[in-house]
Amino acid sequence: MPSKKPAQPVQSGLFGASLSCPDIDNLPLIVEPQGSIEVLAPGSVYQPLLLSPRQDDIDVGPGKLDEHEEAFVRDLIRRLYPAGNHPKSDKTPLKWGNKEIWLKRNIEKRDESFRLRVDDSDWFYPDFIVWIVDYETRTQIFGFVDPKGLTVGAGGGWSDYKIVSTLFMPHVVERQLAASGQKVEFEGAEWTFRVRGVLVSTSSFTNLTAQAKFNLNDDEGKLVAPTEADFKRGRIVFQKTDTSYIDDVLQLLTEDSAVDHLLSLSALLFDNSAYFTPSGELEHDLALRHDENTQTESEFVAALMRDYLKLDSKGVHGSWASKNRRRQLMDYAAEGKWGFGGEKVSDIRDHPAPCEELWSRKQKTEKG
């Protein structure tokens, strides 16, 4: 009777299990992944995207998506194509009205990946590039989106380097591009190029508002928890179980707010090669902050957010900042300073432009 031959060893694969790499055209779409590790994502520059496997003995990379990152891509596609009629080709952009959207996975710590840095912080590699092309206005928006658990992932609150990189650094980058004379041309025409970012909090609104590091000053200078609208003005939106938050993400990438204008002016102030002449109360408060500044850029931005993100009952930004400047100006009523002599309380208390007046007096003192 012939003896049995020993069974040939079976290679289980480099990642702990046998993996197949089907033709890209046969991969499932990310909107219905069917448990697959490799999926097609409409509008993605590179295919396939890799999902985190459900089995503990399998690992994939680089750039695999965790469950929140996967949800963001799926929610973006479903929000833009609620009827399910999204493009199937891997070389077709997503459509948002008349705009085109291309999506790219941004892999951390690769030389070719997009990254930002503020002060001497670590490099911030946002998870996704969301490139929006608007042919009507000839505008290209280099957007970046990072789904992140901010309860732990943003330990510094408003001064955390990921948050400051999202809020402030796009304005710095735009100034650097303009100063270098770089222009974006496409199809023989010059285009506007913008950089904007959004953090998608995978931590719940309830958990984040419980963190004192995100508290804001109300119009009386009292620290209070931010509302969801306050977070949105700070370029933080919350990932929801439905796709509605995608509207906020796209709006923030394409439309600037008064807070963004404030941050753009701050980038100008920190640009040593630029000259800044303030106009109006807001700009004079910024100039005062910059002249008084002994902080890092991150700390400067954080203090600005604490004073300006929350609106007062009239829908005005920075009420507490203005009141605080008025209090500083009131010192002149109690004692003569810088050669101006004593002044009536009522004359200063009712001054229509306390920030501008305080800045003007300080300038005269410095010149004197």
Side-chain angles (χ1 to χ4, degrees), residues 183-202:
K183 299 179 180 179
V184 174
E185 292 187 356
F186 181 64
E187 296 181 344
E190 187 173 330
W191 284 51
T192 299
F193 183 77
R194 302 173 72 242
V195 182
R196 292 294 182 270
V198 180
L199 292 172
V200 175
S201 176
T202 61

Side-chain angles (χ1 to χ4, degrees), residues 296-312:
T296 64
E297 289 181 337
S298 294
E299 292 166 338
F300 181 93
V301 170
L304 204 59
M305 294 301 97
R306 279 191 289 270
D307 285 349
Y308 276 90
L309 273 185
K310 184 165 285 295
L311 300 174
D312 66 11

Side-chain angles (χ1 to χ4, degrees), residues 13 31-33 82 86 88 95 107 113 115 143 146 153 158 165 179 191 218 227 251 265 280 284 355:
V31 291
E32 295 178 355
H86 40 70
K88 304 300 190 293
K95 295 288 287 184
I107 300 177
S113 292
R115 61 184 183 175
D146 194 66
W158 294 113
S165 292
W191 284 51
D218 66 9
T227 64
Q251 181 185 20
L265 290 172
H284 279 94
C355 297

Side-chain angles (χ1 to χ4, degrees), residues 20 22 44 103 117 130 136 157 179 189 216 242 284 291 295 337:
S20 60
S44 177
L103 186 70
R117 189 181 189 185
V130 181
E136 290 185 352
L216 305 172
D242 61 19
H284 279 94
D291 291 344
Q295 304 169 310
K337 282 193 175 182

Side-chain angles (χ1 to χ4, degrees), residues 82-112:
N85 56 335
H86 40 70
K88 304 300 190 293
S89 169
D90 65 320
K91 296 179 175 63
T92 305
L94 301 172
K95 295 288 287 184
W96 178 37
N98 294 322
K99 302 178 182 69
E100 291 182 354
I101 296 180
W102 292 94
L103 186 70
K104 179 181 180 294
R105 179 72 163 106
N106 193 51
I107 300 177
E108 189 175 9
K109 296 181 180 178
R110 282 198 165 188
D111 291 341
E112 70 273 16

